[in-house]
Amino acid sequence: MSGLSLSQARVVDPVLTAVAQGYKHAERVGHTLFPTVPVEVRGGTVLEFGRESFRLYMSRRAPGAPVLHIDFGYKGRKFELVQDALKAKVPREILDDARAVPGVDVQARAINVCMNSLTLTVEAEQAKLATDPLNYTDDRKVMLAGDMKWSAPDSDPVEDVATAKETIRMSCGVDPNRMVISSSIFRALKNHPKIIDRFKYTSSDSITAAMLANYFDLDMLKVGKAVALDGAAAVDAPFMDVWGNSAVLAYVPAAAMGPEEPSFGYTYTLRGHPFVEPGAYDANVYSWLYGVTYERLPVLTGIAAGFLFQNVA
């Protein structure tokens, strides 16, 4: 029996996989706190980082002296990647020629529809992890109320953030460099009198997330605008704000290459994912189908480098 040809053996469509892996959605901000890092296996142990992982090490040595050994974090809880999968459907009716294989542009649009749904699921998981107060020690979270809420004119958001930054810096030795806020908090900050005064020659409608990042002395500030409908909710139920009424401040490396670098969190992703299978024609629905598979898991790896503001606006 002859071996399979390359086309028969291929299980990944490289062009459409590139489309899936390059997919970007303006309202997905979870990667700000949980950047993607590849893993080689579907299960194992999360590499976690305590405050000692952020310390300076005395690397200088005298001639003949032993070289200091350092560890990449420590093995924490077990993890098992979850797999999400959808099929992109391209009905033949939308094609100019029903007998032709769909063009790449049509395929790409179908893949993007799938990726919109798959990345929203990841976003919701990332937000749930980052905004759960049970994941933080008492000194790493604060519940705002009354005049302390950032929607109150007498509150002082920049001082609150500065205090939280100092808490992390004195504990871990690093300055938090990123923050994710919900859409309602963004509106409150844009209309805060102290912030308007800071940008007094700019209207509140023109205040951007990048300007707020500079105001808070952060490398990056992102606004979580995603909304979702709970899968168990009624069809007419209201959509929920994925990032709720929370602001998350954290240290995340600018360009992490792997899970061994200290960070607030990561999204462990099986190498090569997401990927797209070659299209197959399904005569039952008169459509070409492209399977999109995504195995990943957001994990908290350095919660000591994070701070949670609750009930913010």
Side-chain angles (χ1 to χ4, degrees):
M1 182 177 181
S2 61
L4 295 175
S5 68
L6 289 177
S7 61
Q8 291 171 318
R10 183 176 296 141
V11 294
V12 173
D13 185 310
V15 174
L16 295 182
T17 293
V19 170
Q21 293 181 356
Y23 178 83
K24 296 289 187 295
H25 193 294
E27 294 181 0
R28 307 290 183 260
V29 300
H31 57 83
T32 305
L33 303 175
F34 299 90
T36 295
V37 291
V39 294
E40 308 297 336
V41 293
R42 290 179 167 86
T45 305
V46 175
L47 193 58
E48 297 181 344
F49 307 95
R51 60 191 300 269
E52 70 283 351
S53 297
F54 298 91
R55 66 183 294 182
L56 288 173
Y57 285 94
M58 298 301 295
S59 57
R60 191 164 300 163
R61 61 181 288 271
V67 176
L68 179 67
H69 294 185
I70 63 173
D71 295 319
F72 295 117
Y74 60 92
K75 291 184 177 181
R77 62 197 180 283
K78 298 292 183 181
F79 77 88
E80 184 174 343
L81 300 185
V82 296
Q83 181 186 110
D84 291 337
L86 292 172
K87 286 191 175 181
K89 183 167 70 173
V90 181
R92 74 178 189 185
E93 287 84 357
I94 71 171
L95 303 174
D96 292 333
D97 184 350
R99 294 169 296 175
V101 174
V104 171
D105 59 336
V106 178
Q107 298 170 3
R109 295 203 304 269
I111 297 305
N112 285 339
V113 170
C114 287
M115 290 304 300
N116 177 59
S117 177
L118 294 175
T119 57
L120 179 58
T121 299
V122 177
E123 180 89 355
E125 293 173 4
Q126 292 166 332
K128 185 176 180 180
L129 270 179
T131 62
D132 186 349
L134 296 179
N135 289 329
Y136 296 81
T137 56
D138 289 343
D139 62 332
R140 295 294 199 285
K141 59 187 174 185
V142 63
M143 175 76 73
L144 302 182
D147 290 343
M148 291 181 61
K149 298 178 70 168
W150 293 352
S151 52
D154 291 333
S155 65
D156 196 343
V158 73
E159 181 61 27
D160 292 342
V161 171
T163 299
K165 289 174 66 176
E166 187 66 6
T167 296
I168 294 175
R169 188 181 74 87
M170 293 306 296
S171 173
C172 298
V174 295
D175 265 330
N177 58 344
R178 298 184 179 188
M179 187 160 68
V180 171
I181 62 176
S182 68
S183 186
S184 61
I185 296 172
F186 182 50
R187 289 194 299 272
L189 289 174
K190 291 203 321 178
N191 291 285
H192 197 288
K194 293 178 181 177
I195 294 177
I196 290 177
D197 183 66
R198 170 66 173 79
F199 301 107
K200 55 188 173 185
Y201 300 112
T202 303
S203 71
S204 62
D205 290 339
S206 301
I207 295 175
T208 65
M211 293 165 68
L212 289 177
N214 182 65
Y215 179 71
F216 289 120
D217 194 19
L218 297 168
D219 294 340
M220 190 180 298
L221 184 148
K222 295 293 184 179
V223 180
K225 300 179 180 179
V227 296
L229 184 64
D230 190 297
V235 176
D236 58 350
F239 280 81
M240 64 175 186
D241 192 328
V242 169
W243 288 92
N245 189 15
S246 298
V248 182
L249 179 70
Y251 170 77
V252 177
M257 300 300 293
E260 63 281 343
E261 187 169 354
S263 174
F264 170 79
Y266 283 119
T267 300
Y268 285 3
T269 304
L270 194 63
R271 188 175 295 279
H273 281 238
F275 75 89
V276 182
E277 298 175 1
Y281 187 74
D282 186 339
N284 291 321
V285 291
Y286 298 151
S287 301
W288 288 87
L289 300 179
Y290 299 85
V292 185
T293 303
Y294 193 8
E295 291 196 44
R296 77 299 171 285
L297 185 71
V299 294
L300 290 169
T301 55
I303 193 64
F307 195 99
L308 175 66
F309 296 93
Q310 304 174 77
N311 194 37
V312 177

